[in-house]
């Protein structure tokens, strides 16, 4: 018979999963101590700040500070970050400092409009005809939309808990504009998966993409995922990092593999619909449908853009 109390080794209870689900996060961020983060930040200014305005839009390059998780978790404060910046450097002044200002602006908005975490700032979007499609949402979440730059971003997010800022805008546009998915679905997924899922920034970003927040993107601004990929990942380095199944696809077709043809794709080891999906929606159709929905909503709302 068992006697109480008993002592058992903690490992015997197998509380921790056997799969290293956090392996990608550890590889991306290493040991995120305050000292290490400050060292990276201080080294970034003299060595890479000058190229920041160019490199920040290249997802294949290590061109950003990776400061957002530290700011979110309070390891570094925004005032502290501001003081450490060399304000005589034009790239710092127009790039890094502006990012800190936008961050504070989003917090300012959340303080004064706390309802924006669950409803649009602009009232005319309260009746917007968002489409509820669980299958489309799942494909987007899992990086199976058939648009390589989008899928690479979503898989980077899942593997590392982080996504490049330029790609965040591209994947957000596909969900909200092409698929007419509710911006809240995107915000919730980012909140669950991003290590820097700051409530104010996340809310501000998704409402900007959807056009329903402050300083919102124009309703007709719809990112073309093909052209965005060709412009910001021209040689496909970023895509191939997170989509190894497309590794042999020629650069010319890396952002539109369906245009290569079945025989040529087969020679690259790709079978559309099997080991890589076809586009979840055709770009021209998705764009036209989004424009129609946004224009109709604008006409219905009239000039009511009050907060």
């Amino acid at each position: 018979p068992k006697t109480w109390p008993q002592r058992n080794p903690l490992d015997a209870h197998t509380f921790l999963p056997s799969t290293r689900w956090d392996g990608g996060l550890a590889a991306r961020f290493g040991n995120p101590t305050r000292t290490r983060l400050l060292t990276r930040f201080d080294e970034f200014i003299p060595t890479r700040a000058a190229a920041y305005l160019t490199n920040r839009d290249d997802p294949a390059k290590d061109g950003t500070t990776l400061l957002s998780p530290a700011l979110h978790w309070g390891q570094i404060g925004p005032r502290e970050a501001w003081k450490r910046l060399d304000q005589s450097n034009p790239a710092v002044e127009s790039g890094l400092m502006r990012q800190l200002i936008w961050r504070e602006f989003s917090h300012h908005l959340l303080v004064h409009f706390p309802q924006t975490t669950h409803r649009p700032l602009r009232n005319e979007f309260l009746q917007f005809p968002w489409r509820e499609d669980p299958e489309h949402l799942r494909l987007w979440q899992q990086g199976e939309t058939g648009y390589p730059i989008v899928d690479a971003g979503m898989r980077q997010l899942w593997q590392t808990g982080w996504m490049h800022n330029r790609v965040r805008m591209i994947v957000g546009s596909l969900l909200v504009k092409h698929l007419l998915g509710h911006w809240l679905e995107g915000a919730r997924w980012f909140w669950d998966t991003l290590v820097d899922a700051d409530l104010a920034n996340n809310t501000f970003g998704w409402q900007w993409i959807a056009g329903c927040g402050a300083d919102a993107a124009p309703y007709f601004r719809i990112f073309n995922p093909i052209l965005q990929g060709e412009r910001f990942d021209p040689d496909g380095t970023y895509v191939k990092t997170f989509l190894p199944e497309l590794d042999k696809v020629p650069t010319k077709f890396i952002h539109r593999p369906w245009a290569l043809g079945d025989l040529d794709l087969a020679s690259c080891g790709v079978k559309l619909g099997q080991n890589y999906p076809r586009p979840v929606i055709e770009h021209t159709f998705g764009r036209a449908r989004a424009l129609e929905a946004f224009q109709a909503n604008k006409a219905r709302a009239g000039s009511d853009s009050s907060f």
Side-chain angles (χ1 to χ4, degrees), residues 25 28-29 32 37 40 64-77 103 160-163 168 194-198 201:
L25 278 72
R28 186 71 180 95
F29 295 100
L37 291 167
R40 173 183 168 85
T64 63
T65 65
L66 289 182
L67 190 63
S68 55
L71 284 166
H72 169 61
W73 294 105
Q75 292 172 291
I76 300 174
R103 180 185 184 276
T160 70
W162 187 84
M163 188 194 301
R168 295 187 196 199
L194 281 171
V195 296
D196 62 359
D198 185 274
N201 282 358

Side-chain angles (χ1 to χ4, degrees), residues 142-144 151-159 242-243 245:
Q142 296 182 1
E144 296 179 358
D151 295 340
M154 298 306 291
R155 296 189 197 183
Q156 179 185 34
L157 172 62
W158 186 252
Q159 292 173 28
F242 295 100
L243 304 179
E245 62 268 39

Side-chain angles (χ1 to χ4, degrees), residues 209-259:
I209 292 171
C212 63
D215 193 51
Y219 73 89
F220 50 81
R221 185 175 187 180
I222 301 173
F223 286 110
N224 182 328
I226 306 167
L227 296 182
Q228 288 285 308
E230 292 175 345
R231 179 179 179 184
F232 296 108
D233 186 33
D235 58 2
T237 301
Y238 176 75
V239 161
K240 292 181 179 182
T241 298
F242 295 100
L243 304 179
E245 62 268 39
L246 300 182
D247 186 61
K248 296 181 180 179
V249 174
T251 300
K252 180 179 179 180
F253 296 96
I254 189 61
H255 295 289
R256 45 190 179 99
W258 59 86

Side-chain angles (χ1 to χ4, degrees), residues 34 37-38 41-42 67-85 96 100 103-104 107 198:
R34 171 177 161 81
L37 291 167
L38 285 175
F41 187 41
D42 289 340
L67 190 63
S68 55
L71 284 166
H72 169 61
W73 294 105
Q75 292 172 291
I76 300 174
R79 289 189 179 90
E80 180 181 19
W82 183 276
K83 290 179 180 179
R84 298 178 89 95
L85 292 173
L96 295 171
L100 284 172
R103 180 185 184 276
E104 295 310 299
H107 280 262
D198 185 274

